[in-house]
Amino acid sequence: MSFTEDCDRFGNQLARLIDAGIPVKEAAAAIGLPRQRCYAILRAIDRPAGRSRGPAGTADRALIVSVYNETGSINRAAKASKVAHSVARRILVDEGTGRQGENLTEGQTRSQASLPGVDRSGLVGQTSSP
């Protein structure tokens, strides 16, 4: 049976079961279709199961930079702007921002930037001993 025929044949029945509070897994078993096929049918008839993720947020670059400069914490800057740590980190690297004129390069943490002899990879360079 084609997907279009499955949508026509099972779409309304599946939607009624979901509206009644039946989980898709149980509705799929009752109808006799695989669970993933039922999810595909629900998407095709504009009745997706589950909650949407919501609109994709845009990172507020100025907020991330200002919170980071105040606190020195990438996590706090990310939470203030409601983005992932990696997104905030990427923005800070793009901006070349650090506290008090400190420039962070990609892959370099604040503690590594403040230590002499520590390169971008975080490895301490060879030092000569007297």
Side-chain angles (χ1 to χ4, degrees), residues 31-109:
I31 292 175
L33 291 175
R35 180 177 47 90
Q36 291 301 323
R37 182 75 163 195
C38 289
Y39 278 114
I41 291 170
L42 288 169
R43 281 191 302 272
I45 63 171
D46 292 327
R47 300 287 303 270
R51 287 181 264 142
S52 68
R53 292 183 181 187
T58 57
D60 185 351
R61 296 176 87 82
L63 177 63
I64 290 172
V65 170
S66 67
V67 170
Y68 177 76
N69 285 333
E70 289 173 15
T71 65
S73 170
I74 297 173
N75 277 333
R76 288 184 187 166
K79 287 179 183 176
S81 186
K82 297 180 182 171
V83 296
H85 177 278
S86 59
V87 173
R89 172 83 177 144
R90 196 173 319 121
I91 288 170
L92 291 169
V93 167
D94 288 345
E95 297 289 326
T97 303
R99 192 182 295 168
Q100 298 170 355
E102 171 183 309
N103 288 326
L104 297 178
T105 58
E106 190 170 353
Q108 185 180 35
T109 65

Side-chain angles (χ1 to χ4, degrees), residues 1 4 6 14-15 22 26-27 43 124:
M1 188 174 285
T4 306
D6 278 353
L14 188 57
I22 306 293
E26 292 177 17
R43 281 191 302 272
V124 176

Side-chain angles (χ1 to χ4, degrees), residues 107-125:
Q108 185 180 35
T109 65
R110 178 183 309 259
S111 60
Q112 290 169 345
S114 65
L115 295 174
V118 177
D119 64 7
R120 281 184 51 151
S121 66
L123 300 175
V124 176

